Amino acid sequence: DVNTEYYQDKKGEWRWRKTHKNGEIIGASSEGYKEKRDCQSNANRGSKAGDKWEFYKDKKGEHRWRQFASNGKQVGRATEGYKAKKSAENNAMANGWPGKA
């Protein structure tokens, strides 16, 4: 079970974050939006044809993911690093990654 929360940041822009029923944040917006409806649209976009999902290691050596729209704009990211790549992939699936083709 996943809950999506919409909130305004310090700049007054709308952001989203998805939390698992255990309270753990599993995904978040990569940017702020002036209009709440644009934020909601981004949060609910899932994975679209042409999206690119990138898996990488951060500076701590932990696995993370980023999602880019077909126009190259980042539209989602992992909110934390994972020791195992499979854990990062599972988190990405919870945020719309369709899995390996």
Side-chain angles (χ1 to χ4, degrees):
D1 294 310
V2 176
N3 180 50
T4 304
E5 174 188 357
Y6 302 97
Y7 64 96
Q8 288 181 287
D9 62 19
K10 292 178 182 178
K11 294 181 181 178
E13 294 182 331
W14 288 96
R15 293 183 173 267
W16 60 265
R17 66 178 149 235
K18 294 181 181 182
T19 54
H20 189 268
K21 65 181 177 182
N22 66 8
E24 181 181 343
I25 297 172
I26 61 168
S29 57
S30 299
E31 64 182 343
Y33 297 87
K34 298 212 181 290
E35 300 294 329
K36 185 176 182 181
R37 70 177 176 266
D38 294 332
C39 179
Q40 291 169 319
S41 178
N42 176 259
N44 296 312
R45 77 183 297 280
S47 185
K48 306 234 182 257
D51 279 3
K52 178 183 174 192
W53 292 78
E54 175 183 85
F55 292 86
Y56 66 99
K57 284 188 177 181
D58 63 18
K59 291 178 183 178
K60 293 181 180 178
E62 295 181 328
H63 297 272
R64 292 180 176 262
W65 60 268
R66 293 184 276 234
Q67 178 187 10
F68 297 90
S70 59
N71 64 4
K73 188 173 187 176
Q74 185 175 324
V75 294
R77 65 176 172 78
T79 56
E80 65 181 289
Y82 297 90
K83 294 195 184 301
K85 184 177 181 185
K86 183 68 177 166
S87 296
E89 290 174 345
N90 288 339
N91 179 259
M93 281 187 176
N95 283 280
W97 181 53
K100 294 181 182 174

Short mmCIF file of all heavy atoms in Angstrom, two decimals, residues 39-79:
data_model
loop_
_atom_site.label_atom_id
_atom_site.label_comp_id
_atom_site.label_asym_id
_atom_site.label_seq_id
_atom_site.Cartn_x
_atom_site.Cartn_y
_atom_site.Cartn_z
N CYS A 39 1.86 19.10 -10.24
CA CYS A 39 2.53 18.20 -9.31
C CYS A 39 1.80 16.85 -9.28
O CYS A 39 2.43 15.79 -9.35
CB CYS A 39 2.57 18.84 -7.93
SG CYS A 39 3.35 17.83 -6.66
N GLN A 40 0.48 16.90 -9.18
CA GLN A 40 -0.32 15.67 -9.15
C GLN A 40 -0.16 14.88 -10.44
O GLN A 40 -0.06 13.65 -10.41
CB GLN A 40 -1.79 16.01 -8.90
CG GLN A 40 -2.04 16.53 -7.50
CD GLN A 40 -3.44 17.11 -7.34
OE1 GLN A 40 -3.95 17.80 -8.21
NE2 GLN A 40 -4.04 16.83 -6.20
N SER A 41 -0.13 15.58 -11.56
CA SER A 41 0.05 14.92 -12.86
C SER A 41 1.39 14.19 -12.90
O SER A 41 1.48 13.05 -13.36
CB SER A 41 -0.05 15.96 -13.98
OG SER A 41 0.18 15.36 -15.22
N ASN A 42 2.46 14.84 -12.40
CA ASN A 42 3.77 14.20 -12.37
C ASN A 42 3.77 12.99 -11.45
O ASN A 42 4.30 11.94 -11.80
CB ASN A 42 4.84 15.21 -11.95
CG ASN A 42 6.19 14.56 -11.82
OD1 ASN A 42 6.64 14.25 -10.71
ND2 ASN A 42 6.85 14.33 -12.93
N ALA A 43 3.17 13.11 -10.28
CA ALA A 43 3.15 12.01 -9.31
C ALA A 43 2.42 10.79 -9.85
O ALA A 43 2.78 9.66 -9.52
CB ALA A 43 2.51 12.47 -8.01
N ASN A 44 1.43 11.02 -10.70
CA ASN A 44 0.59 9.92 -11.19
C ASN A 44 0.90 9.50 -12.61
O ASN A 44 0.19 8.71 -13.19
CB ASN A 44 -0.89 10.32 -11.08
CG ASN A 44 -1.29 10.54 -9.65
OD1 ASN A 44 -1.02 9.73 -8.78
ND2 ASN A 44 -1.93 11.67 -9.38
N ARG A 45 2.01 9.99 -13.16
CA ARG A 45 2.32 9.71 -14.56
C ARG A 45 2.79 8.29 -14.80
O ARG A 45 2.67 7.77 -15.89
CB ARG A 45 3.32 10.72 -15.12
CG ARG A 45 4.75 10.50 -14.70
CD ARG A 45 5.71 11.56 -15.22
NE ARG A 45 5.83 11.63 -16.64
CZ ARG A 45 6.58 10.80 -17.37
NH1 ARG A 45 7.25 9.83 -16.80
NH2 ARG A 45 6.65 10.93 -18.67
N GLY A 46 3.33 7.62 -13.78
CA GLY A 46 3.83 6.27 -13.97
C GLY A 46 4.98 6.26 -14.95
O GLY A 46 5.75 7.21 -15.03
N SER A 47 5.07 5.21 -15.72
CA SER A 47 6.12 5.10 -16.73
C SER A 47 5.47 5.22 -18.10
O SER A 47 4.48 4.56 -18.38
CB SER A 47 6.83 3.76 -16.60
OG SER A 47 7.91 3.70 -17.48
N LYS A 48 6.00 6.07 -18.92
CA LYS A 48 5.47 6.29 -20.26
C LYS A 48 6.46 5.76 -21.29
O LYS A 48 7.65 5.66 -21.03
CB LYS A 48 5.22 7.77 -20.49
CG LYS A 48 4.35 8.43 -19.43
CD LYS A 48 3.20 9.12 -20.07
CE LYS A 48 2.36 9.82 -19.04
NZ LYS A 48 1.17 9.17 -18.69
N ALA A 49 5.95 5.47 -22.48
CA ALA A 49 6.84 5.06 -23.57
C ALA A 49 7.86 6.16 -23.80
O ALA A 49 7.52 7.34 -23.79
CB ALA A 49 6.02 4.81 -24.84
N GLY A 50 9.09 5.79 -23.93
CA GLY A 50 10.16 6.76 -24.15
C GLY A 50 10.86 7.20 -22.87
O GLY A 50 11.89 7.86 -22.93
N ASP A 51 10.29 6.86 -21.72
CA ASP A 51 10.97 7.19 -20.46
C ASP A 51 12.26 6.39 -20.34
O ASP A 51 12.35 5.26 -20.82
CB ASP A 51 10.10 6.85 -19.24
CG ASP A 51 9.05 7.91 -18.95
OD1 ASP A 51 8.94 8.89 -19.70
OD2 ASP A 51 8.34 7.74 -17.94
N LYS A 52 13.23 7.00 -19.71
CA LYS A 52 14.50 6.32 -19.46
C LYS A 52 14.66 6.19 -17.94
O LYS A 52 14.50 7.17 -17.21
CB LYS A 52 15.66 7.12 -20.04
CG LYS A 52 17.01 6.49 -19.77
CD LYS A 52 18.13 7.35 -20.30
CE LYS A 52 19.46 6.77 -19.86
NZ LYS A 52 20.57 7.69 -20.10
N TRP A 53 14.95 5.00 -17.49
CA TRP A 53 15.21 4.73 -16.07
C TRP A 53 16.70 4.45 -15.92
O TRP A 53 17.23 3.57 -16.59
CB TRP A 53 14.39 3.54 -15.59
CG TRP A 53 12.91 3.83 -15.56
CD1 TRP A 53 12.07 3.87 -16.63
CD2 TRP A 53 12.14 4.14 -14.41
NE1 TRP A 53 10.80 4.17 -16.20
CE2 TRP A 53 10.81 4.33 -14.85
CE3 TRP A 53 12.43 4.25 -13.05
CZ2 TRP A 53 9.78 4.65 -13.97
CZ3 TRP A 53 11.40 4.55 -12.17
CH2 TRP A 53 10.10 4.76 -12.63
N GLU A 54 17.34 5.22 -15.10
CA GLU A 54 18.78 5.09 -14.90
C GLU A 54 19.06 4.56 -13.49
O GLU A 54 18.53 5.09 -12.52
CB GLU A 54 19.42 6.46 -15.09
CG GLU A 54 20.91 6.49 -14.80
CD GLU A 54 21.46 7.89 -14.93
OE1 GLU A 54 21.38 8.65 -13.95
OE2 GLU A 54 21.96 8.21 -16.02
N PHE A 55 19.88 3.54 -13.42
CA PHE A 55 20.32 3.00 -12.13
C PHE A 55 21.80 3.30 -11.99
O PHE A 55 22.56 3.14 -12.94
CB PHE A 55 20.05 1.50 -12.06
CG PHE A 55 18.58 1.18 -12.02
CD1 PHE A 55 17.86 1.05 -13.19
CD2 PHE A 55 17.92 1.06 -10.81
CE1 PHE A 55 16.49 0.79 -13.16
CE2 PHE A 55 16.56 0.79 -10.77
CZ PHE A 55 15.85 0.66 -11.95
N TYR A 56 22.20 3.76 -10.82
CA TYR A 56 23.58 4.19 -10.62
C TYR A 56 23.97 4.03 -9.16
O TYR A 56 23.12 3.81 -8.30
CB TYR A 56 23.76 5.64 -11.07
CG TYR A 56 22.99 6.63 -10.23
CD1 TYR A 56 23.62 7.35 -9.21
CD2 TYR A 56 21.64 6.86 -10.43
CE1 TYR A 56 22.92 8.25 -8.42
CE2 TYR A 56 20.94 7.76 -9.66
CZ TYR A 56 21.57 8.46 -8.65
OH TYR A 56 20.88 9.34 -7.87
N LYS A 57 25.26 4.17 -8.88
CA LYS A 57 25.76 4.17 -7.51
C LYS A 57 26.07 5.61 -7.11
O LYS A 57 26.68 6.35 -7.89
CB LYS A 57 27.00 3.31 -7.36
CG LYS A 57 26.72 1.83 -7.34
CD LYS A 57 27.98 1.07 -6.99
CE LYS A 57 27.69 -0.42 -6.90
NZ LYS A 57 28.91 -1.16 -6.54
N ASP A 58 25.64 5.98 -5.91
CA ASP A 58 25.92 7.33 -5.43
C ASP A 58 27.32 7.41 -4.81
O ASP A 58 28.09 6.45 -4.87
CB ASP A 58 24.84 7.78 -4.43
CG ASP A 58 24.77 6.92 -3.18
OD1 ASP A 58 25.73 6.18 -2.86
OD2 ASP A 58 23.73 7.00 -2.48
N LYS A 59 27.66 8.55 -4.22
CA LYS A 59 29.00 8.76 -3.67
C LYS A 59 29.32 7.80 -2.53
O LYS A 59 30.48 7.52 -2.26
CB LYS A 59 29.14 10.21 -3.18
CG LYS A 59 29.15 11.21 -4.30
CD LYS A 59 29.24 12.62 -3.77
CE LYS A 59 29.18 13.61 -4.92
NZ LYS A 59 29.21 15.01 -4.46
N LYS A 60 28.29 7.28 -1.87
CA LYS A 60 28.49 6.32 -0.78
C LYS A 60 28.59 4.88 -1.30
O LYS A 60 28.76 3.96 -0.53
CB LYS A 60 27.34 6.40 0.22
CG LYS A 60 27.28 7.69 0.99
CD LYS A 60 26.12 7.65 1.98
CE LYS A 60 25.99 8.90 2.77
NZ LYS A 60 24.83 8.85 3.69
N GLY A 61 28.43 4.70 -2.62
CA GLY A 61 28.46 3.37 -3.20
C GLY A 61 27.13 2.65 -3.11
O GLY A 61 27.06 1.44 -3.33
N GLU A 62 26.06 3.39 -2.80
CA GLU A 62 24.74 2.78 -2.71
C GLU A 62 23.99 2.94 -4.03
O GLU A 62 24.22 3.88 -4.78
CB GLU A 62 23.94 3.42 -1.56
CG GLU A 62 24.56 3.15 -0.21
CD GLU A 62 23.79 3.76 0.94
OE1 GLU A 62 23.18 4.83 0.77
OE2 GLU A 62 23.80 3.14 2.01
N HIS A 63 23.09 2.00 -4.30
CA HIS A 63 22.33 1.97 -5.55
C HIS A 63 21.13 2.90 -5.47
O HIS A 63 20.42 2.93 -4.46
CB HIS A 63 21.87 0.54 -5.86
CG HIS A 63 23.00 -0.40 -6.07
ND1 HIS A 63 23.57 -0.60 -7.31
CD2 HIS A 63 23.68 -1.19 -5.21
CE1 HIS A 63 24.54 -1.47 -7.20
NE2 HIS A 63 24.64 -1.85 -5.93
N ARG A 64 20.90 3.64 -6.54
CA ARG A 64 19.77 4.56 -6.66
C ARG A 64 19.22 4.50 -8.08
O ARG A 64 19.82 3.92 -8.97
CB ARG A 64 20.21 6.00 -6.37
CG ARG A 64 20.59 6.24 -4.93
CD ARG A 64 21.00 7.69 -4.73
NE ARG A 64 21.28 7.97 -3.35
CZ ARG A 64 20.42 8.53 -2.49
NH1 ARG A 64 19.24 8.91 -2.91
NH2 ARG A 64 20.76 8.73 -1.24
N TRP A 65 18.08 5.15 -8.29
CA TRP A 65 17.48 5.25 -9.62
C TRP A 65 17.01 6.67 -9.88
O TRP A 65 16.75 7.42 -8.97
CB TRP A 65 16.33 4.27 -9.80
CG TRP A 65 15.19 4.47 -8.85
CD1 TRP A 65 15.02 3.86 -7.63
CD2 TRP A 65 14.07 5.34 -9.01
NE1 TRP A 65 13.87 4.30 -7.04
CE2 TRP A 65 13.27 5.21 -7.85
CE3 TRP A 65 13.67 6.22 -10.00
CZ2 TRP A 65 12.09 5.93 -7.68
CZ3 TRP A 65 12.49 6.93 -9.82
CH2 TRP A 65 11.71 6.77 -8.69
N ARG A 66 16.91 7.01 -11.17
CA ARG A 66 16.33 8.26 -11.64
C ARG A 66 15.46 7.93 -12.85
O ARG A 66 15.80 7.06 -13.64
CB ARG A 66 17.39 9.26 -12.10
CG ARG A 66 18.27 9.78 -11.02
CD ARG A 66 19.22 10.84 -11.57
NE ARG A 66 20.40 10.22 -12.16
CZ ARG A 66 21.65 10.51 -11.82
NH1 ARG A 66 21.90 11.42 -10.91
NH2 ARG A 66 22.66 9.92 -12.40
N GLN A 67 14.38 8.67 -13.00
CA GLN A 67 13.49 8.51 -14.15
C GLN A 67 13.49 9.80 -14.96
O GLN A 67 13.34 10.89 -14.40
CB GLN A 67 12.07 8.19 -13.68
CG GLN A 67 11.06 8.04 -14.78
CD GLN A 67 9.64 7.89 -14.25
OE1 GLN A 67 9.38 8.07 -13.07
NE2 GLN A 67 8.72 7.57 -15.13
N PHE A 68 13.67 9.67 -16.28
CA PHE A 68 13.67 10.82 -17.18
C PHE A 68 12.57 10.66 -18.22
O PHE A 68 12.39 9.57 -18.77
CB PHE A 68 15.01 10.93 -17.91
CG PHE A 68 16.17 11.18 -17.00
CD1 PHE A 68 16.88 10.12 -16.45
CD2 PHE A 68 16.55 12.47 -16.66
CE1 PHE A 68 17.96 10.34 -15.60
CE2 PHE A 68 17.62 12.70 -15.80
CZ PHE A 68 18.32 11.64 -15.28
N ALA A 69 11.83 11.74 -18.47
CA ALA A 69 10.83 11.75 -19.53
C ALA A 69 11.54 11.73 -20.88
O ALA A 69 12.75 11.96 -20.97
CB ALA A 69 9.94 12.98 -19.41
N SER A 70 10.78 11.50 -21.95
CA SER A 70 11.38 11.43 -23.29
C SER A 70 12.04 12.75 -23.70
O SER A 70 12.91 12.75 -24.57
CB SER A 70 10.33 11.02 -24.32
OG SER A 70 9.26 11.96 -24.33
N ASN A 71 11.66 13.86 -23.06
CA ASN A 71 12.29 15.15 -23.37
C ASN A 71 13.59 15.36 -22.59
O ASN A 71 14.21 16.41 -22.66
CB ASN A 71 11.33 16.31 -23.13
CG ASN A 71 10.93 16.47 -21.66
OD1 ASN A 71 11.42 15.76 -20.78
ND2 ASN A 71 10.03 17.40 -21.40
N GLY A 72 14.00 14.36 -21.80
CA GLY A 72 15.23 14.43 -21.02
C GLY A 72 15.08 15.02 -19.64
O GLY A 72 16.02 15.04 -18.86
N LYS A 73 13.89 15.49 -19.30
CA LYS A 73 13.65 16.10 -17.99
C LYS A 73 13.48 15.03 -16.92
O LYS A 73 12.74 14.06 -17.11
CB LYS A 73 12.40 16.98 -18.06
CG LYS A 73 12.17 17.81 -16.84
CD LYS A 73 11.02 18.76 -17.08
CE LYS A 73 10.89 19.71 -15.92
NZ LYS A 73 9.85 20.70 -16.15
N GLN A 74 14.19 15.19 -15.81
CA GLN A 74 14.07 14.21 -14.71
C GLN A 74 12.70 14.37 -14.07
O GLN A 74 12.30 15.47 -13.71
CB GLN A 74 15.17 14.44 -13.68
CG GLN A 74 15.16 13.39 -12.59
CD GLN A 74 16.33 13.53 -11.63
OE1 GLN A 74 17.43 13.88 -12.03
NE2 GLN A 74 16.08 13.26 -10.38
N VAL A 75 11.98 13.26 -13.91
CA VAL A 75 10.62 13.30 -13.37
C VAL A 75 10.45 12.47 -12.10
O VAL A 75 9.38 12.45 -11.50
CB VAL A 75 9.57 12.87 -14.43
CG1 VAL A 75 9.52 13.89 -15.57
CG2 VAL A 75 9.86 11.48 -14.96
N GLY A 76 11.48 11.76 -11.67
CA GLY A 76 11.41 10.97 -10.45
C GLY A 76 12.79 10.50 -10.04
O GLY A 76 13.72 10.49 -10.85
N ARG A 77 12.90 10.14 -8.75
CA ARG A 77 14.19 9.68 -8.25
C ARG A 77 13.99 8.90 -6.96
O ARG A 77 12.99 9.04 -6.28
CB ARG A 77 15.12 10.85 -7.97
CG ARG A 77 14.61 11.76 -6.86
CD ARG A 77 15.58 12.87 -6.53
NE ARG A 77 14.99 13.82 -5.61
CZ ARG A 77 14.86 13.66 -4.31
NH1 ARG A 77 15.25 12.54 -3.74
NH2 ARG A 77 14.32 14.59 -3.55
N ALA A 78 14.99 8.09 -6.63
CA ALA A 78 14.99 7.38 -5.35
C ALA A 78 15.29 8.41 -4.25
O ALA A 78 16.06 9.34 -4.46
CB ALA A 78 16.07 6.30 -5.34
N THR A 79 14.67 8.23 -3.11
CA THR A 79 14.90 9.16 -2.00
C THR A 79 15.99 8.68 -1.06
O THR A 79 16.35 9.39 -0.14
CB THR A 79 13.61 9.35 -1.18
OG1 THR A 79 13.15 8.07 -0.73
CG2 THR A 79 12.54 10.02 -2.03
#
